[in-house]
Amino acid sequence: MSKLTYFSGIQPTGNLHLGNYLGAIKQWVQMQSDPDCDLLFCIVDLHAITVPQDPEILRRKNRQVAALYIACGLDPKRVKIFIQSENPDHAYLAWIFSCMVPMGWMERMTQYKDKSKKQGERTSVGLFNYPILMACDFMLYDADLVPVGDDQKQHLELAADIGEKFNNIYGETFKIAKIYNQKETSRIMSLQNPSSKMSKSDIDPSGTINLLDSTDAIEKNVRRAVTDSGKDIIYSPQKPAIANLLAIYSGFSGISISELEKKYKGVNYGDFKNDLAKLLVKELSDIQDKYQKIINKPEYLDRILDEGRDFAISISSKKIALVKEKIGLSRSHS
Ligand code: AMP
Ligand code: TRP
């Protein structure tokens, strides 16, 4: 059986938070133990510029996210990490796909609808095309599985439609990738509002815990987290705030939610939150220590990103050559 390929990415914007870790990066780390797969993780800076970015901050965030990937447990000897804009094939294929995709498919994208409503006339054409570029990211590498949070599901469905359309017209060229995630942690909610997801762009800082937050900030936000009426610590749709805290606890401790329900039977919310705060402080300070070591070794990080880029190009350039051949972007048959 041929090896599976996993591909995922995160935008180098804002601060990475518990949702990014539990919904995405933690899955990636677990996948490393499967010896029969290739793993590629990208820092998607071309996606980041679909909204205005400060160049200095963007440069810094590119390195910061790469260092966080490693600090969270990705092993650079096992996986390839690269910066999207360093491989020109992504934007190249995005143009080709954008010439094939009907506007109607794109107009249905809920993330675009939400974001463009907020941005009004400032909304860029790039934001509209964002899901096409995302499809290229993993289709260039024939990815089988894309480990992302639930919010990306529709984008993966679009990618499947694009792949099928291309394959129907030009013959089998692209693999159709599937989403991969774990139900409980695929959607971590705001600590202040359990009906909206924890997000980099939340204006209320107390709803989010960032991976690089100080001990004080972590403790304060867990203490302040909203809870539900009643006092039982159970995982139930009637208790969305407690269910969210349980999902976070389980994600970081590896203890199943049902075990946690047993452990905290009869315990009050305050004590439960204290334990959760302690756990998060410990786990995040491990990540932060590793992060500091990596970010302070620029040559090490550059070497990993150079290797990642070269590997990525070695694969994607073949796919681009095939696509060009199939659609006639050449003077003659190769
Ligand atoms: P973003 O923050 O939009 O760049 O997302 C990066 C990755 O984290 C994607 O795989 C998202 O699906 C995932 N993600 C973002 N927010 C959450 C959340 N609140 N819960 C679970 N996964 C999330
Ligand atoms: N759209 C994704 C997000 O906002 C980021 C992303 C871009 C991505 N390209 C990707 C994720 C390719 C997985 C695979 O989270």
Side-chain angles (χ1 to χ4, degrees):
M1 212 179 73
S2 68
K3 270 189 173 184
L4 290 183
T5 299
Y6 294 83
F7 185 104
S8 197
I10 295 185
Q11 297 185 60
T13 52
N15 292 309
L16 263 59
H17 51 70
L18 296 188
N20 299 131
Y21 178 75
L22 295 175
I25 305 174
K26 189 175 156 235
Q27 258 77 226
W28 311 352
V29 173
Q30 287 166 345
M31 290 166 168
Q32 294 180 123
S33 56
D34 174 359
D36 280 326
C37 64
D38 286 325
L39 301 144
L40 284 117
F41 298 109
C42 191
I43 296 131
V44 291
D45 57 348
L46 291 174
H47 279 101
I49 61 165
T50 53
V51 294
Q53 300 292 338
D54 176 289
E56 254 339 293
I57 298 178
L58 183 58
R59 262 188 281 276
R60 186 150 31 91
K61 290 277 172 190
N62 265 337
R63 298 187 82 84
Q64 194 183 78
V65 174
L68 266 173
Y69 280 1
I70 303 165
C72 286
L74 288 184
D75 174 1
K77 293 200 195 78
R78 174 73 187 86
V79 309
K80 304 293 179 196
I81 299 173
F82 71 102
I83 296 177
Q84 184 189 31
S85 64
E86 294 185 1
N87 181 355
D89 295 339
H90 293 240
Y92 192 99
L93 184 61
W95 174 255
I96 294 173
F97 280 173
S98 70
C99 295
M100 296 177 52
V101 175
M103 295 284 281
W105 291 10
M106 303 301 290
E107 280 159 357
R108 283 198 287 276
M109 295 292 110
T110 54
Q111 204 161 69
Y112 170 75
K113 284 196 267 188
D114 292 346
K115 289 191 181 174
S116 60
K117 213 180 283 166
K118 285 187 199 138
Q119 293 176 27
E121 294 205 329
R122 285 173 295 133
T123 306
S124 68
V125 177
L127 190 74
F128 187 67
N129 281 343
Y130 177 118
I132 294 182
L133 178 61
M134 176 167 169
C136 300
D137 291 342
F138 50 88
M139 288 164 74
L140 276 172
Y141 305 94
D142 280 333
D144 299 274
L145 291 170
V146 179
V148 282
D150 232 20
D151 56 348
Q152 298 302 313
K153 201 163 161 234
Q154 198 187 26
H155 290 163
L156 270 121
E157 288 161 4
L158 176 86
D161 289 343
I162 298 174
E164 270 158 23
K165 179 164 184 184
F166 193 102
N167 290 348
N168 280 338
I169 301 174
Y170 300 106
E172 205 59 27
T173 310
F174 290 105
K175 255 195 193 162
I176 307 301
K178 291 201 180 69
I179 189 167
Y180 176 97
N181 61 35
Q182 277 154 11
K183 194 171 158 284
E184 290 83 3
T185 49
S186 65
R187 202 170 168 80
I188 298 297
M189 309 312 278
S190 155
L191 300 183
Q192 285 303 312
N193 177 5
S195 61
S196 83
K197 70 167 188 169
M198 189 177 283
S199 154
K200 286 173 180 167
S201 52
D202 193 345
I203 35 167
D204 176 5
S206 45
T208 307
I209 293 179
N210 296 318
L211 300 183
L212 297 178
D213 273 353
S214 68
T215 300
D216 261 9
I218 299 168
E219 286 173 344
K220 200 161 74 192
N221 282 2
V222 175
R223 217 178 314 121
R224 280 195 196 157
V226 296
T227 47
D228 307 289
S229 55
K231 32 182 210 267
D232 295 329
I233 296 171
I234 47 170
Y235 191 85
S236 140
Q238 276 77 49
K239 294 206 146 207
I242 292 295
N244 190 41
L245 296 180
L246 278 168
I248 294 172
Y249 198 137
S250 170
F252 273 93
S253 64
I255 307 173
S256 71
I257 287 180
S258 58
E259 282 296 313
L260 288 174
E261 286 175 330
K262 276 187 221 144
K263 181 172 153 100
Y264 286 100
K265 198 166 182 234
V267 176
N268 65 42
Y269 286 166
D271 291 343
F272 169 66
K273 281 181 170 181
N274 277 341
D275 283 4
L276 176 58
K278 249 187 253 161
L279 171 70
L280 290 179
V281 166
K282 184 185 166 303
E283 295 295 317
L284 295 187
S285 60
D286 280 356
I287 291 176
Q288 291 172 10
D289 289 348
K290 286 189 200 133
Y291 170 80
Q292 285 308 334
K293 287 195 188 114
I294 299 158
I295 206 76
N296 290 320
K297 281 197 286 186
E299 320 76 44
Y300 169 73
L301 199 55
D302 277 326
R303 196 161 12 97
I304 291 164
L305 292 172
D306 287 351
E307 274 174 29
R309 175 203 57 213
D310 294 347
F311 178 82
I313 292 176
S314 75
I315 309 279
S316 64
S317 56
K318 293 191 193 116
K319 186 64 93 185
I320 290 290
L322 179 67
V323 168
K324 287 177 73 177
E325 169 76 21
K326 293 216 171 191
I327 62 182
L329 291 174
S330 54
R331 282 189 229 164
S332 53
H333 274 295
S334 55

